[in-house]
Amino acid sequence: MNDIISEQANHEGRLDLSSAAIIALGRDFDYISAVNLETQEEQIFKYNPAFMSLVPGWDQLETYHDRMQVICNLFVHPNDRTAFMHETDLDVLSETLSKDFPCKFVNFRELMGDTVVYYQGQYLLLETNDVKTCFVAFKNVDTETRKEIVHQGIEETISDDYECLLHVD
């Protein structure tokens, strides 16, 4: 993983508590960032280095929207793309996330060659000093999802209809 926080800490010779928390909580995630919902500025904390080899110019992408568009076009299953772009849109997130409902999960399928891999985007709203920040994290949930599908006995039912599901806690 390209763990930007760890790299900075090693360079600076220190690790503050919030950086340590991001590292500890982020071990299972392929992508972690924070997006200011007003300015749409994104600070990336961690991303899978495969993006650098699979997406020429990944490190040159400037906005959260640009990164989500590239992820969508290159990795997201064609049947999930419209829902993925809608559910990960910052305007939709601004409307959906609130103090009463600060968390949102977006489930989708990635297509790696001919292999379907189940993924989940997790969005968490943090409001401080009238600044709305959305923490974004993507993780592979393939093993858990396949176990759940088999357990529920519905593998064949959803294999063609998984379409980007929205869960709001």
Side-chain angles (χ1 to χ4, degrees):
M1 283 294 142
N2 188 343
D3 194 331
I4 296 167
I5 297 294
S6 293
E7 288 176 13
Q8 288 174 343
N10 287 337
H11 178 70
E12 297 171 8
R14 63 180 170 77
L15 184 65
D16 64 39
L17 186 59
S18 62
S19 298
I22 290 170
I23 292 168
L25 295 171
R27 294 177 199 255
D28 293 336
F29 293 91
D30 291 335
Y31 185 90
I32 301 174
S33 72
V35 182
N36 180 312
L37 292 178
E38 276 86 35
T39 66
Q40 299 191 0
E41 293 176 19
E42 180 181 33
Q43 180 180 359
I44 299 174
F45 299 112
K46 180 180 181 178
Y47 62 88
N48 188 323
F51 288 137
M52 296 297 283
S53 60
L54 296 172
V55 183
W58 170 258
D59 56 342
Q60 303 301 313
L61 296 171
E62 294 186 10
T63 67
Y64 165 84
H65 175 76
D66 291 345
R67 281 183 274 283
M68 292 305 104
Q69 189 69 57
V70 167
I71 288 170
C72 182
N73 291 339
L74 292 179
F75 304 113
V76 175
H77 191 286
N79 293 344
D80 296 350
R81 288 180 181 159
T82 300
F84 176 87
M85 287 308 296
H86 175 75
E87 296 301 333
T88 62
D89 182 81
L90 291 178
D91 291 332
V92 172
L93 291 169
S94 292
E95 293 171 12
T96 305
L97 298 173
S98 67
K99 287 183 181 180
D100 294 332
F101 298 101
C103 190
K104 174 180 179 173
F105 299 93
V106 178
N107 295 317
F108 60 96
R109 295 171 295 177
E110 282 199 0
L111 197 53
M112 300 296 197
D114 293 334
T115 304
V116 170
V117 180
Y118 294 93
Y119 258 79
Q120 183 177 79
Q122 299 180 13
Y123 295 82
L124 178 64
L125 177 67
L126 178 65
E127 292 187 62
T128 56
N129 302 324
D130 295 328
V131 176
K132 288 182 167 185
T133 301
C134 182
F135 287 90
V136 178
F138 287 100
K139 77 185 248 183
N140 180 322
V141 293
D142 193 69
T143 301
E144 301 94 324
T145 302
R146 290 187 187 281
K147 284 179 184 177
E148 185 176 322
I149 290 168
V150 169
H151 179 72
Q152 294 177 1
I154 58 172
E155 185 168 21
E156 293 168 18
T157 304
I158 72 165
S159 65
D160 292 328
D161 299 326
Y162 188 72
E163 303 241 0
C164 196
L165 301 175
L166 164 66
H167 300 284
V168 178
D169 286 339

